[in-house]
């Protein structure tokens, strides 16, 4: 794929999508974004609206007439539109499942019709729970029962992956699947549950930093620019076609240590408080189950792209602090 090509980004007004749009424009692509602004926002792409190579449609990916035209008129689809954030998913289970399953079905069917390449953004939720070590792409999945709503997200995204792989196998559709792990950076909002911006916002406001449970659950964080670099690299690499790739960082940190680091680096006087899940989630608690560990094995993407995240955790915390300080001015 050469510069001058046309990319369609579904969910392009979201946190990751807006950074992807910037990266593709910088690489010489013409970029069209479709987003219904359910969790994304116009502000995320406001600075791109004047760019002659950028188009924005506030619309849903379920609008097949529009999607048909947009997919016909592009060379590659970056399919990022999906429900995001644990809290959003618990509050809107129906919308989350339908967007993931029906929306992706529309994208893949039309991409197949017009023979367009698709990059499908999937998620580390695919792996499920009880993860004791780094997850690799071919690991088994371990999920909770259907009575716990959280797991519907994992299964709906798994259906997306199955569909994409089936189109690749039976219809020779060119697809690349990326499983995104915890990603952070400017424009991410804490309101849907993402821990790092939540802790940063609490620290800046002098409010308690609320660690759920004992805080020993482990995560790793990737800066959005590193993640987008990997997404673009994989989408343009011939050998990535038909493959599934983890995109994230393999540097683990416990949530308790994350809280301490954010408090220290911000110089905040906020207290770090530990609260049980039942209190944190209230009536949503019945639908929630946490993961003790969510860390990717990134050897596959590292090997193909020589991928190495550039931003370490302290840099990410500082960038996020700067971002929210800027917003408060
Ligand atoms: N978490 C927390 N306090 C918060 C928000 C999240 O302790 O205010 C914990 C949460 O229980 C989880 C981790 O931080 O163990 C990451 O949560 P997030 O929702 O950001 O991502 P995910 O659980 O989907 O990896």
């Amino acid at each position: 794929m050469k510069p001058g090509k046309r990319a369609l980004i579904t969910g392009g007004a979201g946190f990751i999508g807006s950074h992807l749009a910037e990266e593709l424009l910088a690489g010489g692509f013409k970029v069209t974004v479709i987003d219904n602004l359910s969790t994304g926002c116009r502000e995320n792409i406001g600075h791109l609206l004047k760019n002659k190579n950028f188009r924005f449609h506030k619309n849903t990916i379920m609008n097949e007439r529009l999607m048909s035209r947009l997919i016909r008129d592009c060379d590659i689809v970056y399919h990022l539109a999906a429900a995001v954030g644990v809290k959003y998913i618990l509050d809107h289970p129906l919308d989350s499942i339908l967007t993931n399953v029906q929306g992706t079905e529309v994208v893949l069917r039309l991409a197949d019709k017009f023979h367009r390449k698709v990059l499908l953004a999937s998620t580390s939720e695919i792996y499920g729970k009880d993860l004791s070590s780094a997850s690799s792409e071919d690991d088994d999945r371990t999920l909770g029962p259907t009575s716990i709503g959280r797991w519907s997200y994992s299964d709906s995204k798994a259906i997306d992956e199955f569909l994409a792989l089936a189109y690749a196998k039976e219809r020779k559709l060119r697809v690349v699947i990326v499983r995104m792990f915890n990603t952070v950076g400017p424009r991410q909002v804490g309101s849907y549950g993402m821990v790092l911006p939540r802790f940063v916002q609490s620290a800046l406001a002098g409010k308690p930093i609320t660690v759920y449970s004992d805080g020993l659950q482990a995560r790793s964080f990737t800066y959005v620019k590193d993640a987008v670099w990997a997404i673009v690299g994989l989408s343009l690499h011939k050998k990535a076609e038909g493959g599934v790739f983890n995109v994230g960082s393999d540097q683990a940190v416990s949530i308790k240590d994350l809280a301490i680091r954010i408090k220290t680096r911000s110089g905040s006087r906020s207290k770090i408080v530990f609260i049980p899940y039942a209190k944190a989630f209230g009536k949503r608690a019945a639908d929630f189950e946490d993961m003790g560990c969510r860390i990717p094995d990134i050897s596959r993407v590292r090997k193909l792209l020589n991928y190495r995240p550039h931003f370490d955790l302290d840099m990410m915390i500082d960038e996020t602090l700067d971002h929210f300080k800027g917003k408060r001015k």
Side-chain angles (χ1 to χ4, degrees):
M1 191 93 36
K2 302 238 169 50
K5 294 280 183 178
R6 301 154 307 169
L8 172 67
I9 308 176
T10 71
F15 159 53
I16 299 179
S18 61
H19 286 277
L20 175 62
E22 275 173 17
E23 176 78 11
L24 289 170
L25 285 166
F29 278 76
K30 291 186 191 322
V31 174
T32 300
V33 159
I34 179 166
D35 197 306
N36 66 0
L37 303 185
S38 62
T39 52
C41 65
R42 204 177 282 269
E43 203 188 347
N44 285 349
I45 49 165
H47 59 298
L48 303 177
L49 292 171
K50 283 200 181 115
N51 188 322
K52 67 177 178 15
N53 290 324
F54 183 79
R55 293 267 179 290
F56 172 57
H57 296 266
K58 180 184 175 312
N59 218 303
T60 160
I61 55 171
M62 309 289 192
N63 180 341
E64 290 202 30
R65 263 180 82 163
L66 176 62
M67 285 297 283
S68 186
R69 183 160 62 77
L70 297 183
I71 291 180
R72 183 198 65 199
D73 290 346
C74 77
D75 300 296
I76 181 164
V77 185
Y78 292 86
H79 179 39
L80 272 62
V84 286
V86 174
K87 288 209 161 130
Y88 185 90
I89 290 155
L90 298 184
D91 286 343
H92 307 92
L94 197 54
D95 180 55
S96 303
I97 297 168
L98 294 180
T99 305
N100 286 353
V101 178
Q102 295 181 347
T104 301
E105 201 273 321
V106 168
V107 168
L108 291 171
R109 179 159 37 79
L110 293 172
D112 176 49
K113 179 174 172 190
F114 296 110
H115 307 290
R116 300 296 186 251
K117 187 169 182 175
V118 179
L119 177 127
L120 172 71
S122 185
T123 166
S124 54
E125 285 278 323
I126 288 282
Y127 294 107
K129 58 177 178 171
D130 298 337
L131 309 171
S132 49
S133 58
S135 305
S136 339
E137 290 85 348
D138 294 330
D139 282 355
D140 287 343
R141 307 173 57 225
T142 322
L143 302 185
T146 50
S147 52
I148 295 182
R150 173 175 196 155
W151 302 116
S152 67
Y153 191 71
S154 178
D155 270 348
S156 64
K157 292 301 285 189
I159 284 289
D160 288 356
E161 290 198 11
F162 278 128
L163 257 182
L165 294 170
Y167 269 105
K169 191 172 173 192
E170 283 188 40
R171 313 274 311 173
K172 305 285 170 255
L173 184 68
R174 290 168 301 146
V175 297
V176 179
I177 298 171
V178 293
R179 289 187 185 152
M180 306 300 299
F181 283 68
N182 301 63
T183 306
V184 298
R187 301 182 203 140
Q188 185 176 41
V189 288
S191 41
Y192 301 117
M194 281 76 171
V195 69
L196 199 144
R198 276 171 79 83
F199 283 4
V200 163
Q201 281 174 295
S202 299
L204 288 175
K207 290 186 177 155
I209 299 175
T210 53
V211 174
Y212 301 162
S213 187
D214 57 10
L216 296 182
Q217 60 271 39
R219 295 292 186 274
S220 63
F221 297 90
T222 312
Y223 196 60
V224 64
K225 290 196 192 309
D226 281 325
V228 159
W229 185 87
I231 290 173
V232 174
L234 289 167
S235 73
L236 303 182
H237 203 301
K238 191 79 193 140
K239 286 193 179 150
E241 288 176 15
V244 179
F245 297 86
N246 287 338
V247 169
S249 152
D250 50 7
Q251 303 299 306
V253 62
S254 74
I255 297 303
K256 181 179 161 192
D257 286 346
L258 178 71
I260 294 169
R261 262 159 90 164
I262 290 176
K263 182 175 153 82
T264 308
R265 295 195 81 77
S266 62
S268 169
R269 292 202 188 152
S270 292
K271 282 204 178 94
I272 297 176
V273 294
F274 293 82
I275 57 172
Y277 293 118
K279 193 169 168 208
F281 284 91
K283 63 178 171 39
R284 301 181 185 110
D287 270 321
F288 180 74
E289 202 174 340
D290 206 358
M291 283 165 201
C293 170
R294 190 207 288 275
I295 312 292
D297 175 336
I298 51 172
S299 44
R300 196 178 279 184
V301 64
R302 184 177 281 148
K303 206 166 149 205
L304 195 68
L305 298 183
N306 199 15
Y307 170 69
R308 215 166 291 278
H310 286 97
F311 285 78
D312 66 20
L313 185 59
D314 286 341
M315 287 158 92
M316 287 182 242
I317 292 172
D318 292 349
E319 288 279 329
T320 311
L321 279 166
D322 286 350
H323 176 68
F324 283 112
K325 276 185 198 155
K327 281 204 155 219
R328 282 160 17 122
K329 276 179 195 150

